[in-house]
Amino acid sequence: MYKAKAYSAASATSPLASAEIPRRDATERDVQIDILYCGICHSDLHTVRDEWSGVMPTTYPCVPGHEIVGRVTAVGPAVTKFKPGDLVGVGCLVDSDHTCPNCKADVEQFCNNAIFTYNSPDRHLGGITYGGYSESIVVDEHFVLRVPANLDPAGVAPLLCAGITTYSPMRRWGDLTGKKVGVVGLGGLGHMGVKFARAFGAHVVVFTTSPNKKEDALRLGAHEVIVSTDPEEMKRQAGTFDFILDTIAAEHDINAYIAMLGLDGEITLVGAPEKPLPVSAFALLFGRRSLSGSLIGGLKETQEMLDFCGQHNITADVEIIPIQKVNEAYDRLVRSDVKYRFSIDMASLKAE
């Protein structure tokens, strides 16, 4: 075991502050990683502030961060896929039972014994797992991902959550070439949804409540932008979409977007509103439409996503910050004051 510098929260009302945390020495199948960048996900903020206490209560101290890119510094003797110096990533998962049907089907995120990168039981050291707001991390080889060398590491970090969260449901839907795809919301998730849908060959339409986002949506790859508060705009395109990705985490009228779907159309939720959304059965029945949800992706699919990003030169749009500005970044995140994801330069932690 060794000590690593990190930023942690001592309680739901405490700011993130400099701390030292334990990390295990690399065991037989482990990869030790010097963290270069860590993205800030809205889940980090929810967990730090214990806003999901009814479902996933936070154990303190809490070190968040599950969008990690770094360099391998050491590997265990049984590791075959990585060597020191490799550029790698770690996402939302660091372990699972490896034996259940979901693990065997490469959807480890649905394993009943999945271990998340932070705020999960730590099987090695006891206590809980600590995330990527730290100088290093030690992870089982199976949960380490290879990062394409041609991509900017700071922009890759958010792909480990925002990227796979939006890539997975689109890829699972099928061939989107020539299909009409809607993306609801243009934030951290939505901007990745636009980039992927465009790369998949779809006709991409962004739904937004903010008319001033139109120019940016088009820059990111959208063909059209619909201001969802304009009833005439919504009416004109009702019943014409094949697939819609709903990235909104706040309360909103899901039926307005279900009405946008054509016959056999599907809308997938990747945002997680705190309160249940009322759904009209008739909106689904008339049109044989489907409403589904999606949660990140398994390790095989996440590697596929990273490789796809390497081939198409896709990264997240990021604002790089030092770790010392993380509390300010959280406040800005609440105000949606970022285009479109924060990426922490972890070299700044060495100054602590």
Side-chain angles (χ1 to χ4, degrees), residues 89-108:
V90 177
C92 301
L93 299 168
V94 292
D95 208 354
S96 67
D97 62 26
H98 301 270
T99 58
C100 72
N102 290 335
C103 285
K104 289 181 177 179
D106 297 313
V107 285
E108 297 92 341

Side-chain angles (χ1 to χ4, degrees), residues 11-322:
S11 72
T13 56
S14 301
L16 288 151
S18 182
E20 277 197 340
I21 58 171
R23 292 294 194 195
R24 69 180 185 267
D25 294 321
T27 61
E28 219 178 44
R29 297 190 312 172
D30 280 341
V31 176
Q32 185 174 326
I33 301 162
D34 182 14
I35 299 174
L36 300 176
Y37 294 95
C38 185
I40 295 179
C41 177
H42 217 116
S43 300
D44 298 347
L45 186 153
H46 289 310
T47 305
V48 164
R49 298 182 178 178
D50 202 20
E51 293 174 352
W52 288 341
S53 57
V55 181
M56 299 171 66
T58 304
T59 301
Y60 296 95
C62 174
V63 178
H66 58 205
E67 298 180 339
I68 300 165
V69 172
R71 292 272 178 200
V72 176
T73 54
V75 298
V79 171
T80 60
K81 294 190 291 185
F82 303 99
K83 64 183 186 305
D86 286 348
L87 186 65
V88 297
V90 177
C92 301
L93 299 168
V94 292
D95 208 354
S96 67
D97 62 26
H98 301 270
T99 58
C100 72
N102 290 335
C103 285
K104 289 181 177 179
D106 297 313
V107 285
E108 297 92 341
Q109 74 272 33
F110 299 117
C111 172
N112 289 332
N113 298 302
I115 301 295
F116 293 98
T117 308
Y118 62 87
N119 202 46
S120 271
D122 188 326
R123 295 173 180 167
H124 298 268
L125 298 179
I128 58 162
T129 54
Y130 296 126
Y133 293 13
S134 62
E135 61 184 344
S136 67
I137 192 168
V138 180
V139 182
D140 183 298
E141 174 185 36
H142 181 74
F143 295 87
V144 179
L145 299 146
R146 190 171 300 282
V147 172
N150 62 306
L151 298 179
D152 173 21
V156 168
L159 300 180
L160 279 307
C161 180
I164 186 58
T165 295
T166 50
Y167 176 94
S168 180
M170 289 189 186
R171 179 56 86 200
R172 192 169 59 252
W173 188 87
D175 185 3
L176 290 175
T177 305
K179 301 297 184 182
K180 190 172 182 180
V181 171
V183 177
V184 184
L186 194 67
L189 290 175
H191 95 287
M192 290 306 311
V194 172
K195 291 187 179 190
F196 283 131
R198 183 63 183 252
F200 289 146
H203 179 84
V204 187
V205 182
V206 168
F207 292 92
T208 179
T209 58
S210 306
N212 60 1
K213 288 190 175 182
K214 181 174 182 177
E215 185 179 336
D216 225 27
L218 297 173
R219 175 187 65 82
L220 290 164
H223 295 91
E224 299 180 66
V225 179
I226 296 176
V227 178
S228 56
T229 52
D230 184 332
E232 286 305 311
E233 277 196 67
M234 294 289 279
K235 185 178 179 181
R236 271 197 303 271
Q237 302 219 37
T240 65
F241 284 80
D242 297 293
F243 178 81
I244 295 175
L245 186 74
D246 186 343
T247 72
I248 303 299
E251 193 173 352
H252 61 290
D253 181 10
I254 187 70
N255 297 300
Y257 299 105
I258 293 174
M260 295 293 105
L261 295 171
L263 181 64
D264 290 327
E266 180 177 350
I267 183 167
T268 298
L269 303 180
V270 290
E274 185 180 348
K275 296 179 181 178
L277 299 176
V279 176
S280 165
F282 286 99
L284 295 175
L285 294 172
F286 285 87
R288 205 163 56 191
R289 299 155 172 158
S290 299
L291 171 63
S292 63
S294 187
L295 179 71
I296 51 174
L299 275 297
K300 181 179 179 182
E301 188 175 45
T302 305
Q303 187 62 64
E304 176 192 302
M305 179 270 304
L306 287 172
D307 294 341
F308 181 88
C309 288
Q311 293 160 13
H312 294 268
N313 201 30
I314 295 173
T315 55
D317 285 23
V318 296
E319 179 181 334
I320 301 172
I321 62 165

